[in-house]
Amino acid sequence: MYPQHDEPLSPDKRQRGERLLLAESGLARAMATSTSGMFLTGLALALGANVLQYGKLAGAVFVGGSLHLLVVPLLHTFGSRRRFCLAGLGMTRLLRISLAAAPLLLVWGMSPAGVMWVMFVVLLLSAITGTASETARQSWMSDLIPKARLGRFIGWRSAIMRCAAMSAVLGYSQFIEFWRGTGQELVVGFQYMILFATGLGVIGLVCLSRAPEPWMSERLSPALHRFAITLPFRDRRFRRFMAFHCGWMFSTSLAGMFFHLYMLDYLQLQHRPNGYLLVAATDIISMLLGVASAPIWGRLADRWGTKRVLMRAGMVMVIFPLLWIPITPERWWLIYVVILLRVFGSANEIGLMKMGMQLAPRRRRSVYISVYRSLGCVMLAIAPMVGGAIAHAAGSSLWVFGSFTFAGLHLLFVISTAGRLASLWWLRRVRLDDRPT
C-alpha cells in the first residue's frame, strides 16, 4: 500500500518532485484566491451581506479544517499521501464549481440570505477536503525534502504561492472592473471568475499526480489513532507551541479577515472608479514584499533559528491593526503606507510552518501536524464569526471624537492587538533546539 522503505528516491526524482509540488502549490493558490480576501468580500457585498453574514462566510473557509484530525486513519485507508491528496483536492475542485453555481439559486426565487447559507455549506465542505489534503501534503514534503534545505524550500514555496496569488489578484480584479463596466450583474462576473480559477486548480492536480512519493516515515494503525491524537497534548514543548499558534491565529484573523471589508465598505472604495484595482494594489504590494522576503526569511530561519525570527517579526505585527484606525475615507491612500509592514507577515508564515515540523516527532509527524492545524483552523473559523458579531453589535458609530467616528471594526483592531501581544508570551515559553548555524 505505502511506498516501500527499500525503494529510496534518487536525487533526480527528489528534485523533480520538488518542482512539481512547487508548481501545484502555485496553481492551488491562484484557485483559492478567487474565493478569499477581496473577492469573497466583493461577492458577499454584491449579494447584500452585512458584516455579520460576511463573518460567517469568512469563517466557513476554515470550519471544515478542524476535522482533519481524521487525516491519519484516512491515510491508512488510501495507502498513500498522493492518492489521498488527489481524491481530496479533486473533490475541492468539484465544490468550487458548485460555489460558482450557487448564485443561480437567486433566479429560482431563493433569497440572497438563503444563497449565502448555501455558500457557507459549500465553503465548509471545501475546507474539509482542502485542509485535510494540505496536512498530507506537508507530511509528503517533510519526507521528500532534506532537512538541511527544508527552510529554504518552504521559503521558495511561499514565494511562488505569493507570485501566483499576486498574478491572480491582478488578473481577477481587472476582470471584475471590466465586468462592472459592461453594466451586467456583478455577481455573474464573480461566477465566471471562480470557474476559470477552478480550471487552474485542475491543472495543479495533473502536476500532483506526477510527483514521486517517498517512503512514509510513520505508521499508525486506526486502533491507535484515538490514543495518538492525545500525544501532542502530552508533549510539553508542542503543547506550548499549540497555545501560541492558536492565540496568534485567533488574534490575527479577528482583524485580518475584515481588512478588505474595511477598504471596500468603510473606506467606500467599492464606489470609486477602479475601486477593486485600488484594493488589489494593496494585495499586490503585500505579495511583492512577501515574494522578495520569503526566501530571505527562510534562510534566516535556518541560520538564526525559527523562534528568534518569529519573535522579532511578531513584535512588529502586534501594532499592525492599530495603524488602520486613523485611516478614514478622506485619507484612504494611507493604506499603501500601512501595508508595508506586511513584509514581516511572511516571516510568521514560514516560521509557524517550520516550527511545527521541527517540534513534531518524525514517526508521528502527520498526527502532530493534524492536531495543531485542526486547532488553528478552529481559531481561524471562530475569529471572523466572533469578529463579525462584535462589529455588528457595536455598529458603525460606537464613539464619536470630533470628526472621527470609532466604529465596530476599529474595536476589532484593538482587540486583535491585545491578542497578538498575549500570544507572544506563549512563544517565549516554547523550547526549541534551534541554535543559530
Side-chain angles (χ1 to χ4, degrees):
M1 294 174 64
Y2 295 98
Q4 297 300 310
H5 183 45
D6 57 358
E7 298 177 0
L9 295 178
S10 66
D12 287 343
K13 285 187 175 181
R14 287 184 180 274
Q15 291 177 4
R16 177 171 171 268
E18 290 181 29
R19 291 193 295 268
L20 287 169
L21 288 176
L22 289 174
E24 190 275 334
S25 296
L27 290 165
R29 177 57 64 91
M31 182 192 72
T33 301
S34 66
T35 54
S36 62
M38 173 179 66
F39 302 107
L40 180 61
T41 307
L43 178 58
L45 290 174
L47 290 169
N50 57 35
V51 65
L52 179 61
Q53 292 169 325
Y54 169 73
K56 291 178 180 178
L57 285 179
V61 178
F62 303 100
V63 169
S66 62
L67 301 179
H68 63 167
L69 286 171
L70 301 174
V71 169
V72 174
L74 287 176
L75 274 177
H76 181 87
T77 301
F78 274 80
S80 87
R81 290 164 291 193
R82 177 167 51 196
R83 284 200 292 269
F84 182 87
C85 287
L86 289 174
L89 296 177
M91 181 60 66
T92 300
R93 273 64 175 166
L94 292 176
L95 289 167
R96 296 275 174 173
I97 296 174
S98 300
L99 183 66
L104 293 176
L105 296 173
L106 292 170
V107 180
W108 298 333
M110 183 175 285
S111 67
V115 171
M116 281 186 280
W117 273 111
V118 172
M119 291 171 58
F120 173 84
V121 173
V122 173
L123 287 170
L124 185 150
L125 295 175
S126 179
I128 294 174
T129 55
T131 55
S133 300
E134 175 61 17
T135 297
R137 188 162 40 191
Q138 282 193 28
S139 174
W140 185 353
M141 288 187 298
S142 63
D143 283 335
L144 181 69
I145 313 302
K147 184 178 180 180
R149 291 182 19 235
L150 183 59
R152 282 181 283 271
F153 174 83
I154 294 173
W156 278 112
R157 182 175 185 253
S158 177
I160 288 172
M161 292 173 71
R162 288 176 184 272
C163 280
M166 179 176 59
S167 301
V169 165
L170 181 60
Y172 298 160
S173 59
Q174 287 181 324
F175 173 75
I176 292 300
E177 286 296 339
F178 163 77
W179 194 265
R180 288 174 67 190
T182 65
Q184 300 184 61
E185 289 288 339
L186 187 57
V187 172
V188 178
F190 282 109
Q191 289 178 282
Y192 284 129
M193 180 192 69
I194 294 172
L195 288 174
F196 173 80
T198 303
L200 297 179
V202 172
I203 297 174
L205 285 181
V206 176
C207 295
L208 198 64
S209 68
R210 297 175 180 271
E213 180 185 0
W215 173 72
M216 193 170 181
S217 60
E218 58 185 315
R219 296 290 186 270
L220 187 65
S221 67
L224 294 176
H225 179 62
R226 182 176 300 178
F227 168 76
I229 62 176
T230 67
L231 294 177
F233 299 97
R234 298 168 183 264
D235 186 326
R236 187 177 183 182
R237 293 195 307 164
F238 205 82
R239 187 169 64 244
R240 289 177 175 178
F241 164 71
M242 289 191 295
F244 159 66
H245 182 256
C246 288
W248 189 261
M249 289 295 100
F250 181 86
S251 56
T252 54
S253 297
L254 191 68
M257 293 296 181
F258 294 92
F259 287 140
H260 287 107
L261 184 65
Y262 190 79
M263 289 185 280
L264 287 171
D265 191 35
Y266 181 80
L267 300 182
Q268 295 295 302
L269 292 186
Q270 64 174 325
H271 301 303
R272 288 180 176 270
N274 297 318
Y276 279 88
L277 284 173
L278 293 174
V279 177
T282 66
D283 289 343
I284 291 172
I285 293 172
S286 300
M287 292 172 195
L288 283 173
L289 293 171
V291 167
S293 64
I296 298 174
W297 289 122
R299 286 195 295 270
L300 290 177
D302 288 338
R303 181 177 302 175
W304 290 355
T306 310
K307 181 178 176 179
R308 184 179 178 184
V309 169
L310 267 175
M311 182 62 72
R312 299 296 185 273
M315 290 171 64
V316 176
M317 294 305 292
V318 163
I319 65 171
F320 183 69
L322 293 180
L323 299 179
W324 287 78
I325 295 177
I327 304 177
T328 60
E330 295 76 23
R331 296 191 295 270
W332 64 267
W333 49 269
L334 286 174
I335 58 178
Y336 297 114
V337 178
V338 173
I339 60 171
L340 296 178
L341 288 182
R342 281 183 171 168
V343 67
F344 294 94
S346 180
N348 288 320
E349 178 183 339
I350 294 169
L352 283 169
M353 185 175 180
K354 189 185 178 191
M355 183 174 281
M357 289 181 175
Q358 287 177 295
L359 290 172
R362 178 178 173 84
R363 296 187 63 81
R364 292 290 181 264
R365 187 170 286 140
S366 284
V367 176
Y368 276 63
I369 291 174
S370 293
V371 170
Y372 100 78
R373 283 181 58 84
S374 292
L375 293 177
C377 285
V378 170
M379 297 299 106
L380 289 172
I382 292 174
M385 296 182 184
V386 172
I390 292 174
H392 184 70
S396 59
S397 181
L398 190 57
W399 296 299
V400 178
F401 304 96
S403 60
F404 175 76
T405 301
F406 190 87
L409 289 177
H410 296 137
L411 179 60
L412 293 186
F413 299 160
V414 173
I415 297 173
S416 175
T417 296
R420 295 175 191 221
L421 187 61
S423 299
L424 292 182
W425 181 80
W426 281 105
L427 177 60
R428 289 175 59 88
R429 301 187 66 194
V430 175
R431 295 189 179 276
L432 183 65
D433 185 11
D434 197 32
R435 298 181 182 88
T437 60

